[in-house]
């Protein structure tokens, strides 16, 4: 079964960092770009960055440049997003999603709630 | 970045109605458009890709059309489980941006 399973909810204080994992199963991890998308409460979907698991090459949305880092561990088929210098408006659900060719994001993780509060 | 504008942002409909959601791109994207359905507390679910190809397992009451800059998602005979928020996404160029969403509610 093709799936992405994300790590659990996090509560962080402003200024801290958070790292969320996304474990892939049921397909060849290296063959598909991994994207990260977030959704603030009652808001739409916001693209944050993408990772080529094969090469490790990353691209980031301008809004998050300097604060976001995408990495992966191919030995355990897991992608990571780390967001630093957290602010209250980073409170959101963070999703990983697989890009299938040029078609669509066909597989999504279940989401990880990150709450930033003092 | 390519901007996608969905209309309407909100619509209210009866079970059994046919509804249409429009997605307009700020520049031509050929047929590189996908539609997703999202229910509260859940991840988005792929419905349609390539503007009009139904993802496996998606009921045929969902259909998509369009190319270039204007696209539509049509839901025929709306069912209770179809009440959700729908997003379009362009995959013509990086970054693969999303529309702002259309919430479909029961009248």
């Amino acid at each position: 079964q093709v799936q992405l399973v994300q790590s659990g909810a996090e509560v962080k204080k402003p200024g801290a960092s958070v790292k969320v994992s996304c474990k892939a199963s049921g397909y060849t991890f290296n063959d598909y770009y991994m994207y990260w998308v977030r959704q603030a409460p009652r808001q739409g979907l916001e693209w944050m960055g993408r990772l080529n698991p094969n090469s490790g090459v990353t691209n980031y949305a301008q809004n998050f440049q300097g604060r976001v880092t995408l990495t992966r561990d191919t030995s355990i088929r897991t992608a990571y997003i780390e967001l630093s210098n957290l602010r209250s408006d980073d409170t959101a659900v963070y999703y990983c999603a697989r890009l299938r060719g040029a078609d669509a994001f066909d597989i999504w993780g279940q989401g990880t709630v990150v709450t930033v509060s003092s | 970045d390519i901007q996608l504008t969905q209309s309407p942002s909100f619509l209210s409909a009866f079970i059994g109605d046919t509804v249409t959601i429009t997605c307009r791109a700020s520049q031509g994207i050929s047929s590189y458009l996908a539609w997703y359905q999202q229910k509260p507390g859940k991840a988005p679910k792929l419905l349609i890709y390539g503007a009009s190809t139904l993802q496996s397992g998606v009921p045929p009451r969902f259909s998509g059309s369009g190319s270039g800059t204007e696209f539509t998602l049509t839901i025929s005979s709306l069912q209770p489980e179809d009440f959700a928020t729908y997003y379009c996404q362009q995959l013509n160029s990086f970054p693969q941006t999303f529309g702002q969403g259309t919430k479909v509610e029961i009248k």
Side-chain angles (χ1 to χ4, degrees), chain B residues 19-39:
Chain B
V19 300
T20 298
I21 299 167
T22 297
C23 178
R24 289 187 174 87
S26 59
Q27 61 191 77
I29 57 171
S30 186
S31 295
Y32 292 101
L33 190 97
W35 289 97
Y36 301 87
Q37 176 194 67
Q38 188 181 33
K39 296 182 179 180

Side-chain angles (χ1 to χ4, degrees), chain B residues 6-8 11 19-23 35 71-75 86 102 104:
Chain B
Q6 289 183 233
S7 59
L11 74 85
V19 300
T20 298
I21 299 167
T22 297
C23 178
W35 289 97
F71 302 85
T72 59
L73 171 70
T74 300
I75 312 171
Y86 294 85
T102 296
V104 177

Side-chain angles (χ1 to χ4, degrees), chain A residues 19-65:
Chain A
K19 191 170 186 177
V20 175
S21 68
C22 171
K23 184 172 178 61
S25 61
Y27 73 96
T28 303
F29 179 67
N30 284 14
D31 285 355
Y32 297 83
Y33 273 90
M34 190 72 79
Y35 281 68
W36 289 87
V37 175
R38 80 175 185 182
Q39 187 170 39
R42 296 170 297 282
Q43 299 298 309
L45 301 168
E46 182 179 23
W47 174 83
M48 299 182 70
R50 73 174 180 182
L51 167 77
N52 180 330
N54 193 42
S55 64
V57 172
T58 56
N59 301 95
Y60 301 119
Q62 199 158 8
N63 286 353
F64 301 99
Q65 287 278 0

Side-chain angles (χ1 to χ4, degrees), chain A:
Chain A
Q1 179 189 1
V2 178
Q3 60 179 354
L4 299 172
V5 178
Q6 298 183 224
S7 50
E10 302 266 9
V11 179
K12 296 290 183 181
K13 294 194 181 303
S17 297
V18 68
K19 191 170 186 177
V20 175
S21 68
C22 171
K23 184 172 178 61
S25 61
Y27 73 96
T28 303
F29 179 67
N30 284 14
D31 285 355
Y32 297 83
Y33 273 90
M34 190 72 79
Y35 281 68
W36 289 87
V37 175
R38 80 175 185 182
Q39 187 170 39
R42 296 170 297 282
Q43 299 298 309
L45 301 168
E46 182 179 23
W47 174 83
M48 299 182 70
R50 73 174 180 182
L51 167 77
N52 180 330
N54 193 42
S55 64
V57 172
T58 56
N59 301 95
Y60 301 119
Q62 199 158 8
N63 286 353
F64 301 99
Q65 287 278 0
R67 286 207 303 139
V68 67
T69 304
L70 302 186
T71 56
R72 90 292 192 212
D73 184 338
T74 56
S75 69
I76 55 171
R77 300 185 307 280
T78 299
Y80 302 92
I81 183 170
E82 184 169 19
L83 189 61
S84 63
N85 194 20
L86 290 167
R87 310 185 292 247
S88 58
D89 62 359
D90 291 318
T91 294
V93 180
Y94 290 75
Y95 294 101
C96 57
R98 181 183 89 163
L99 174 65
R100 183 183 67 194
D103 281 342
F105 291 5
D106 67 331
I107 306 296
W108 293 68
Q110 82 277 20
T112 297
V113 176
V114 174
T115 303
V116 182
S117 173
S118 54

